Amino acid sequence: MLTGASDEKLKGEHYDYLVKHKHISHLKRVDHIGDIAADRSFHRYATGEGIFTIHYAPRSVQIADNAFIDTWLAQMFGEHTDFIKQWLAVYAYTNYQKLPTLILKGDRGTGKNTFADAVMSIYPSISQYWHGEDKNFTPEVQKKLLIADESVGANEKQYRMLKQRSGQKMAVVNQKFLPEYSVRNNMNIIILSNDQTPVFVQKDEEPTSERNNQFFVYTMPKLRGAIDPSFGEKIEARIGHYLRTELKKVYEETRSLNGCRYSIPVPITPEERALFNMNMTGLEAEVQKIMQKMVTQTDPVMLAFFNEGYFRPGSWMTL
């Protein structure tokens, strides 16, 4: 239809041309990356390798007002402002480079979603809100930014999935009506939560060094003053210039950092220490259930065991 081939002869000629001159012999994967240097989005095909690379341009420059962004970040993150700026700089200027998972806690009205939306606006086409669960279909693994909004549960299965998403080199894409294929892992994750224990963590994996810390756990402060419904739009209008100026300088400084497993030093906050102290292993959770039944002694089956001397505190302490 597009070529105007109205008869079989013309159709054949156009078909022959497409096969001989436009045929893609082998498609291995499609890589979606953010390209801070691009003025507009474009794609490239590596002949012989079977790889399409789609370069997404960052948000365009609208308003030059870096002081506005700096003030906002300082109000949100206080002493951790420099860390957040480093995280944003590495996110904007690199691909396939490990970054820590941001776990932002706080009640409604603390600006969690405003921050998340601002980060999404940097490369909107390869960013999305995410269910935070391991499902059969995984189109989200092709994205550069995943934001789990109030949907992450504190369980061991999801903890393993989060570590896999943030740590594995390759990711398997499973979409409807298509065979599975692998892509390079470019995912970065932000978790927003109202819960005190937003995610499950392995207690014995508590970090001891900022250079080997996978999570930044932080409680967002309450917003002060009247709520501005258009504040998010003001941030997004200014972030394009902020990326190309302030964050460019920050990124150049981070390039000299060495020995960091997740690109930059990640502060071990009191919230993170509390998170590891509050979480239990699967075995500990089962033991807690048994201990609760021991205290209440309302379960007739368990009570029979208690009466026979099983699970007595004295014998339990000797295990």
Side-chain angles (χ1 to χ4, degrees):
M1 293 294 291
L2 294 175
T3 60
S6 56
D7 56 50
E8 293 301 321
K9 182 176 181 298
L10 282 175
K11 287 179 183 178
E13 291 175 357
H14 283 293
Y15 184 77
D16 287 344
Y17 172 79
L18 290 172
V19 171
K20 292 176 181 177
H21 301 284
K22 299 296 182 180
H23 176 59
I24 299 173
S25 58
H26 173 64
L27 179 60
K28 184 177 180 181
R29 68 173 188 260
V30 180
D31 292 338
H32 302 264
I33 65 172
D35 188 344
I36 193 68
D39 294 326
R40 61 180 63 186
S41 299
F42 64 94
H43 71 271
R44 285 184 175 144
Y45 175 66
T47 305
E49 296 181 15
I51 300 174
F52 265 108
T53 304
I54 305 177
H55 296 247
Y56 293 88
R59 189 175 187 89
S60 61
V61 175
Q62 292 174 265
I63 299 175
D65 187 0
N66 288 352
F68 188 91
I69 304 288
D70 277 332
T71 300
W72 168 62
L73 290 176
Q75 290 174 343
M76 292 292 97
F77 295 98
E79 63 180 306
H80 302 303
T81 302
D82 288 342
F83 161 75
I84 289 296
K85 290 173 67 171
Q86 289 178 342
W87 193 98
L88 291 171
V90 175
Y91 170 77
Y93 277 81
T94 68
N95 293 282
Y96 311 117
Q97 189 162 328
K98 289 183 181 179
L99 276 170
T101 297
L102 302 184
I103 302 176
L104 306 180
K105 305 193 302 176
D107 298 330
R108 294 185 182 277
T110 54
K112 301 191 303 293
N113 286 87
T114 300
F115 175 77
D117 289 341
V119 182
M120 286 186 71
S121 73
I122 296 174
Y123 296 112
S125 298
I126 44 178
S127 305
Q128 74 170 62
Y129 277 93
W130 174 48
H131 46 68
E133 299 175 358
D134 193 8
K135 294 188 175 182
N136 291 332
F137 296 108
T138 58
E140 74 276 358
V141 302
Q142 301 173 95
K143 300 295 184 179
K144 184 174 172 63
L145 177 67
L146 300 178
I147 297 177
D149 183 12
E150 316 296 350
S151 57
V152 175
N155 61 73
E156 194 167 355
K157 179 180 178 182
Q158 194 162 67
Y159 172 69
R160 290 195 299 269
M161 185 267 295
L162 286 173
K163 286 182 70 70
Q164 183 185 47
R165 288 284 191 270
S166 59
Q168 64 186 6
K169 185 176 180 179
M170 304 294 290
V172 177
V173 183
N174 187 6
Q175 301 190 79
K176 287 185 178 180
F177 314 117
L178 289 176
E180 289 185 352
Y181 59 96
S182 295
V183 294
R184 292 181 66 188
N185 181 12
N186 200 25
M187 289 177 281
N188 300 280
I189 299 174
I190 299 177
I191 296 173
L192 313 177
S193 179
N194 295 334
D195 296 334
Q196 288 299 314
T197 309
V199 296
F200 177 93
V201 292
Q202 289 282 10
K203 198 170 183 178
D204 58 357
E205 293 184 2
E206 182 175 353
T208 57
S209 169
E210 291 187 348
R211 293 184 174 273
N212 188 27
N213 183 13
Q214 182 180 359
F215 301 111
F216 173 72
V217 187
Y218 179 72
T219 302
M220 304 286 278
K222 277 281 189 182
L223 298 178
R224 298 180 181 178
I227 296 176
D228 181 358
S230 63
F231 188 79
E233 297 174 6
K234 293 177 181 177
I235 292 293
E236 292 175 16
R238 290 161 172 80
I239 202 164
H241 182 266
Y242 194 77
L243 290 173
R244 294 164 174 83
T245 53
E246 178 64 19
L247 290 187
K248 182 179 182 180
K249 292 188 295 183
V250 173
Y251 174 65
E252 291 300 326
E253 294 169 357
T254 65
R255 296 178 71 177
S256 63
L257 296 174
N258 297 312
C260 295
R261 184 175 182 183
Y262 295 95
S263 302
I264 55 177
V266 185
I268 303 174
T269 63
E271 293 93 333
E272 183 176 7
R273 295 193 184 280
L275 181 64
F276 276 91
N277 289 332
M278 292 171 64
N279 269 283
M280 297 179 290
T281 64
L283 178 59
E284 288 173 333
E286 292 302 315
V287 170
Q288 185 183 62
K289 293 177 184 178
I290 294 173
M291 297 297 287
Q292 288 174 340
K293 290 181 179 180
M294 288 176 61
V295 172
T296 57
Q297 293 192 359
T298 57
D299 188 325
V301 176
M302 295 299 295
L303 187 59
F305 278 88
F306 301 150
N307 290 338
E308 292 297 323
Y310 296 103
F311 300 114
R312 290 178 302 176
S315 61
W316 188 263
M317 294 296 291
T318 61
L319 294 178

